[in-house]
Amino acid sequence: MLTLGAAAQSNSIKGNVVDTSGQPVIGASVLVKGTMNGTNTDINGNFSLNNVPANGTLEVTFIGFKTVETIAVPSQTFFNITMEEDSATLDEVVVVGYGVQKKSDVTGALTRVDSETLNTKPVMNAFEALQGKAAGVDITSNQRPGEIGDIRIRGNRSLNASNKPLYVVDGVPLSAGGIETLNPRDIESIDILKDASSTAIYGSRGANGVVLVTTKRGKTGQFNLNYSGTVTVENIKDLQPAMSASDMITFVRWAK
């Protein structure tokens, strides 16, 4: 929202930046678009700029607010600018142990990996797709075909007991196994709960962290069919061949 101030022909302008409640926005960036000519608002939300070209575009930005652009017409020397909060990221819905919540309302430590991130490279299972995608989650892969590695959330918690996290798929905890049997392309998102406040709903089962998997499901709208396939070939290489019966007899004779 802009209010026309005193009319005067000048290339020096002043203004004030406030939020929707009328409070000054301190430290907002005011820049003449396409140039390096800019400044920041002071403690009262005021700013001043010199050498502003006629009909130049003023761009006002601040973290958590929507960008405001306005034309610096020659007849206007003072600008009252109101910035609106950008709540798009704060309204993002994430999965927690007791359902779903807005990201802004979650106080626990969690990491979210969406389907686009999971499918950036071809992998054999969801376990490998998650590798290197979540902070605080250490995944070590097993090089033998048909076997998987280990996942540790914030390191090992016990020397003798299991350190595996609890896997929950669409709200159902898995009593055995992990997510290696799931097709990565069938997963909508994976939320990893890493602290006590987030895992309290699962009791002692969530002591090593919780991996919440949400699979894709039908949506309203036009029918779409997508196909994607990969082929992987693996061979077990034994660098130490076994002895035959004849070789074993010869070896025993030589040993004597």
Side-chain angles (χ1 to χ4, degrees), residues 154-212:
R154 289 185 169 176
N156 293 328
R157 297 170 183 257
S158 173
L159 295 176
N160 299 321
S162 174
N163 288 286
K164 293 183 179 180
L166 174 66
Y167 297 96
V168 180
V169 180
D170 291 334
V172 180
L174 301 182
S175 58
I179 59 174
E180 64 276 2
T181 58
L182 297 178
N183 185 351
R185 300 190 181 277
D186 292 338
I187 297 176
E188 181 69 26
S189 64
I190 297 179
D191 297 279
I192 302 175
L193 311 183
K194 298 184 289 187
D195 67 342
S197 62
S198 297
T199 60
I201 189 67
Y202 298 105
S204 60
R205 294 181 299 172
N208 297 322
V210 181
V211 179
L212 297 172

Side-chain angles (χ1 to χ4, degrees), residues 59-159:
E59 185 178 60
V60 184
T61 58
F62 191 71
I63 297 176
F65 290 84
K66 295 180 180 179
T67 300
V68 178
E69 292 186 0
T70 183
I71 305 298
V73 294
S75 60
Q76 187 172 351
T77 59
F78 191 88
F79 292 87
N80 287 324
I81 301 176
T82 301
M83 303 189 72
E84 297 180 358
E85 293 183 0
D86 187 2
S87 58
T89 57
L90 296 179
D91 290 337
E92 181 183 352
V93 175
V94 295
V95 180
V96 294
Y98 32 85
V100 294
Q101 281 192 346
K102 287 185 178 181
K103 194 171 185 179
S104 58
D105 297 334
V106 177
T107 59
L110 61 86
T111 300
R112 183 179 180 87
V113 182
D114 56 22
S115 59
E116 183 178 354
T117 305
L118 288 173
N119 296 305
T120 53
K121 60 181 181 180
V123 292
M124 295 183 59
N125 52 59
F127 191 87
E128 294 181 359
L130 190 61
Q131 190 170 18
K133 302 295 193 308
V137 180
D138 184 23
I139 298 178
T140 57
S141 60
N142 194 312
Q143 300 301 323
R144 295 185 64 84
E147 296 184 8
I148 62 172
D150 296 319
I151 178 172
R152 297 290 182 267
I153 299 177
R154 289 185 169 176
N156 293 328
R157 297 170 183 257
S158 173
L159 295 176

